[in-house]
Amino acid sequence: MVVYERTGGFAGVSDRVTVDHTGTVVTRGGTFELAPVEVGELRRALDRITTTASSAEGCDIPDHFTYTLSYDGWRATRCHRVPRDWMPAVMRLAALAERPG
């Protein structure tokens, strides 16, 4: 369903979250299942995204974070700051990256 990646920063972060259509989540920490309500909330947040093009703005800033989302046939990368319409989905996906598997 969705792949989220956040890389970079001062510490060289490398987070990757994959969520399939059934709610199975795969992260660096392991694999786990989302509750149906969580899958619905994530889909709603993703469906609200209208900014589906990549941008290199901010990629020249030292120690920036690079965010990549792949969802519903599109893949986009943004550096430093994510678009406002990405924030609800990115916040959910970043929390999943921290959840133990």
Side-chain angles (χ1 to χ4, degrees), residues 16-17 29 31 34 47 63 77-78 91:
R16 180 181 171 95
V17 176
T31 301
L34 294 178
D47 286 340
D63 299 323
T77 300
R78 295 295 180 117
M91 289 173 52

Side-chain angles (χ1 to χ4, degrees), residues 24-98:
T24 300
V25 179
V26 178
T27 69
R28 181 173 26 120
T31 301
F32 56 92
E33 299 293 325
L34 294 178
V37 68
E38 291 177 294
V39 175
E41 290 169 348
L42 178 57
R43 279 190 179 139
R44 282 189 291 283
L46 290 162
D47 286 340
R48 289 188 193 109
I49 294 174
T50 58
T51 308
T52 59
S54 294
S55 172
E57 181 180 345
C59 291
D60 58 344
I61 296 172
D63 299 323
H64 72 275
F65 283 107
T66 300
Y67 298 86
T68 302
L69 280 179
S70 300
Y71 175 69
D72 197 28
W74 58 267
R75 178 181 168 90
T77 300
R78 295 295 180 117
C79 297
H80 185 58
R81 291 190 183 125
V82 297
R84 183 172 287 161
D85 60 330
W86 285 29
M87 286 307 297
V90 166
M91 289 173 52
R92 288 182 185 285
L93 291 161
L96 294 177
E98 299 301 319

